[in-house]
Amino acid sequence: MLKNKIKNKFSKYRFEIRHITIFFIVLIMFQIILAFIQKSSLNQYLNETQNWYQKHSAERLAIITSTSMELLFENLIQQKFLNDLEERKIISSFNVIVKQQLLQKSVNDIFLILIKENKLYIIDSGSELHNFLRNKLEPFEINKNKYTEEVSLFLRHKSAMQKNEIIYSELHNNETFNILVPFVPDGEYLGVMFMKITPNFNFITNEVAKNFDNISIIYSILIFIGLLAIFLVSSQAVKERNEARQKLFEEHEENIKNQVRAEKESLFTKRIYHTHHKAEKIIGFIKEDVRSANSENINELKKKIITYSNFISRIIYDMKWYDQAINTIINPMFRTDINQAIQFIIDNIFLRISSKNDMFEFKVNLDERIPKVHVNEFIVWEIIEPLIQNSIDHGNKKFINICVLTNYNVENNLTTIIIEDDGVGVENELLQISEQGIKNIFLENKTTKKMENTNSGYGCYIAYQMAVQRCGWNLDVNNKKEGGCIFTIKIKN
């Protein structure tokens, strides 16, 4: 009975793989953070210990060296009359003491700073020591000797050291100790012994840190293996439930497919609404031309009306088929003059608007050398017309200058079509590359219009689909530095 109660209690809570995964990741992160904190604390402790020990060892070395020099100095004072051999021995003994210390990697410099009759003397060799005792050594002069900084350090602490006879050490550049040891042979204060020592015990701290890293890695691996075992057991526990869910998902799969089909039909309907206004506008032009027909312009109007009618037929065909057959778009039998198509669109569609003089002006520069393309003439219309319309609709200025030009590069056999305006340009968001690898302006239902529930955002999409996906052309858009945007179509003939 108690067992069933406990089972029912826990069955209320649902644990999934993601919960276990998050728990797994959190524990690993905590272990990593803890390891870093422990490593940081250990390094701080080792650094503090090393700094103390470095100072202590440097001062001990300086005291021992100073004691040796004091003993040697006392012997010189006691034996005032020495022959040449004994003097050379004393000089050699002093040099040996100095060189023995300098042979150590940690000792950089060592010498005596002595005071005699209020004058300073620097002694760094046995011969100078002998000359000092015989009053033949030249006094030290500041700014004329290489030991200027060391003597300046001594002068700053001269009074305190003479009064208290204590060792003074100063850390320089976080690694070198400048040490002043009172020089007191036979109890008489004569000056100081200066030593520059750079003790290095990094090999000890590095070894300790290395061992700590090894222990941390082993500890982390053991924890990781334990957590991985928990993860595997837990994942197996939820596997059966996931299988049951999978069956449920399969039951809904057909419903999802039906939903996708419905969405495609909805989008297809929106594209129909997007193109129907073009047909209405063309029908209006046809009615206007029929009313203005007379014996003088009947032939010209006949050609124009036939072209309008063919375009309406193409629009109706687009409404009929979701995916048009490729041979109705590209076919060797098609020989379309791009310049002629552009000129017709400008003259007989955009320039027929009654308010055109107050809205926009066209500048056309067409290269007569461009070859004809094997593309349906009205597919060219569906590519060019939305791009020009985009410049008019989104220029956001009272008057827009639109420039349309074509160019043919004979060497590369490349035709270029450029449509540019002097409006405000395209919003930066629409120029960003989408997950599909194309700019947002060429995606379906992407627009800068603020009106909701409108079938907008299809002009540039249709132009891109026709130009790039169907005809294999290259279509791109960018903003100009001086303002406005520029559409570029490149056709490799």
Side-chain angles (χ1 to χ4, degrees):
M1 190 69 178
L2 180 60
K3 181 178 179 180
N4 292 333
K5 289 183 178 180
I6 296 175
K7 184 177 180 180
N8 293 332
K9 185 70 174 179
F10 280 98
S11 63
K12 297 179 180 179
Y13 303 97
R14 297 178 58 186
F15 291 94
E16 298 187 5
I17 294 296
R18 63 174 181 270
H19 300 139
I20 300 172
T21 303
I22 293 173
F23 177 73
F24 179 81
I25 294 173
V26 168
L27 288 180
I28 291 295
M29 289 178 61
F30 283 170
Q31 173 60 24
I32 294 173
I33 293 172
L34 180 60
F36 275 112
I37 293 174
Q38 289 178 335
K39 181 66 178 296
S40 177
S41 300
L42 178 63
N43 287 337
Q44 183 179 0
Y45 169 75
L46 291 176
N47 289 334
E48 292 177 356
T49 304
Q50 178 176 299
N51 291 337
W52 172 85
Y53 187 69
Q54 285 176 335
K55 180 178 179 182
H56 176 74
S57 62
E59 290 180 352
R60 297 301 301 172
L61 178 61
I63 291 173
I64 294 172
T65 305
S66 176
T67 302
S68 300
M69 289 188 176
E70 287 176 356
L71 293 174
L72 179 63
F73 204 89
E74 289 172 0
N75 291 333
L76 287 174
I77 295 175
Q78 291 175 1
Q79 302 178 18
K80 295 184 178 180
F81 301 100
L82 301 172
N83 55 39
D84 292 342
L85 180 59
E86 291 174 340
E87 287 182 355
R88 285 196 297 271
K89 288 182 178 180
I90 295 299
I91 292 172
S92 176
S93 298
F94 184 87
N95 290 336
V96 168
I97 294 174
V98 173
K99 288 182 179 179
Q100 283 180 344
Q101 302 305 323
L102 293 176
L103 287 175
Q104 301 184 51
K105 293 182 179 180
S106 60
V107 178
N108 301 326
D109 207 352
I110 176 173
F111 56 86
L112 294 173
I113 304 176
L114 302 182
I115 304 173
K116 187 176 182 180
E117 296 178 357
N118 295 324
K119 294 181 180 179
L120 294 178
Y121 295 88
I122 301 298
I123 300 173
D124 58 3
S125 65
S127 59
E128 290 181 350
L129 176 61
H130 179 265
N131 291 335
F132 172 77
L133 295 174
R134 299 295 180 263
N135 297 321
K136 295 181 181 180
L137 184 63
E138 294 293 329
F140 174 83
E141 294 184 12
I142 298 200
N143 299 328
K144 293 185 179 181
N145 195 288
K146 63 179 181 179
Y147 299 120
T148 301
E149 294 183 2
E150 291 80 356
V151 172
S152 299
L153 177 64
F154 165 69
L155 293 177
R156 289 198 299 269
H157 304 281
K158 174 184 175 183
S159 300
M161 294 193 66
Q162 185 173 5
K163 180 179 179 181
N164 302 319
E165 294 186 1
I166 59 174
I167 296 176
Y168 175 80
S169 59
E170 178 184 73
L171 182 61
H172 182 67
N173 292 333
N174 293 325
E175 58 181 12
T176 301
F177 288 94
N178 295 326
I179 302 176
L180 298 174
V181 182
F183 192 70
V184 192
D186 279 339
E188 181 183 359
Y189 178 82
L190 296 182
V192 298
M193 185 198 71
F194 176 86
M195 289 189 72
K196 181 178 289 186
I197 304 175
T198 308
N200 188 354
F201 300 100
N202 287 334
F203 66 95
I204 298 177
T205 56
N206 290 340
E207 190 65 25
V208 175
K210 181 180 178 181
N211 292 333
F212 176 80
D213 290 340
N214 293 336
I215 294 173
S216 298
I217 291 173
I218 294 173
Y219 182 66
S220 298
I221 291 174
L222 293 176
I223 292 179
F224 178 80
I225 293 174
L227 292 176
L228 183 61
I230 295 174
F231 178 81
L232 294 175
V233 172
S234 302
S235 61
Q236 185 65 28
V238 298
K239 181 179 179 180
E240 295 180 359
R241 188 189 64 188
N242 290 340
E243 292 177 353
R245 280 186 169 184
Q246 184 63 32
K247 294 181 179 180
L248 180 62
F249 292 152
E250 291 175 356
E251 292 178 1
H252 289 286
E253 184 176 0
E254 188 63 30
N255 293 334
I256 293 175
K257 289 181 179 180
N258 293 334
Q259 183 179 355
V260 171
R261 293 192 194 98
E263 290 177 355
K264 286 184 178 181
E265 292 176 358
S266 176
L267 293 175
F268 179 54
T269 303
K270 291 179 180 179
R271 282 197 290 273
I272 293 175
Y273 286 140
H274 177 75
T275 57
H276 85 279
H277 75 280
K278 296 181 183 179
E280 290 178 347
K281 182 167 59 177
I282 298 300
I283 290 296
F285 293 157
I286 293 175
K287 290 179 180 179
E288 183 180 345
D289 289 339
V290 171
R291 293 190 190 100
S292 63
N294 53 51
S295 59
E296 297 178 357
N297 62 4
I298 187 65
N299 292 328
E300 179 182 354
L301 291 180
K302 185 188 298 183
K303 294 179 181 179
K304 189 185 300 185
I305 291 172
I306 291 173
T307 304
Y308 281 148
S309 301
N310 290 335
F311 182 56
I312 292 176
S313 298
R314 184 69 196 187
I315 292 175
I316 295 173
Y317 181 82
D318 289 345
M319 292 179 180
K320 183 178 180 181
W321 301 102
Y322 181 77
D323 290 320
Q324 301 93 339
I326 190 64
N327 61 350
T328 64
I329 299 174
I330 302 176
N331 199 309
M333 64 178 294
F334 298 137
R335 295 184 56 81
T336 300
D337 188 333
I338 294 178
N339 288 340
Q340 183 178 350
I342 293 174
Q343 195 66 58
F344 187 91
I345 292 171
I346 294 174
D347 293 340
N348 298 287
I349 295 180
F350 290 104
L351 293 183
R352 292 193 64 166
I353 300 175
S354 60
S355 58
K356 63 180 178 59
N357 294 330
D358 299 328
M359 297 172 57
F360 53 83
E361 180 180 354
F362 281 97
K363 295 180 181 179
V364 181
N365 184 6
L366 305 177
D367 190 346
E368 296 180 356
R369 299 176 300 167
I370 65 173
K372 295 181 180 181
V373 294
H374 301 296
V375 177
N376 189 300
E377 177 182 357
F378 302 105
I379 294 297
V380 177
W381 281 37
E382 289 184 286
I383 296 172
I384 301 297
E385 189 272 340
L387 301 181
I388 298 177
Q389 191 67 47
N390 183 83
S391 296
I392 297 174
D393 292 341
H394 302 288
N396 290 335
K397 290 178 66 176
K398 293 183 179 180
F399 189 83
I400 302 294
N401 289 298
I402 302 172
C403 179
V404 182
L405 61 90
T406 59
N407 178 61
Y408 179 64
N409 188 316
V410 179
E411 295 181 358
N412 298 326
N413 194 21
L414 181 68
T415 299
T416 304
I417 305 172
I418 295 176
I419 303 171
E420 59 180 334
D421 61 70
D422 60 353
V424 297
V426 180
E427 292 186 1
N428 291 331
E429 180 183 354
L430 296 179
L431 294 179
Q432 299 298 317
I433 303 297
S434 66
E435 295 179 356
Q436 292 87 336
I438 61 177
K439 294 183 177 180
N440 288 326
I441 191 173
F442 297 126
L443 294 180
E444 192 172 23
N445 204 24
K446 290 289 185 179
T447 181
T448 57
K449 293 181 179 180
K450 305 303 181 183
M451 297 177 62
E452 297 182 356
N453 299 322
T454 60
N455 295 291
S456 57
Y458 290 98
C460 292
Y461 166 75
I462 293 174
Y464 187 87
Q465 291 296 316
M466 290 298 179
V468 179
Q469 303 296 337
R470 301 303 179 89
C471 298
W473 299 352
N474 181 276
L475 173 59
D476 195 12
V477 60
N478 290 288
N479 285 330
K480 301 188 298 182
K481 294 181 179 180
E482 62 272 17
C485 71
I486 175 169
F487 288 92
T488 305
I489 302 174
K490 294 184 179 180
I491 306 170
K492 189 70 174 179
N493 299 297

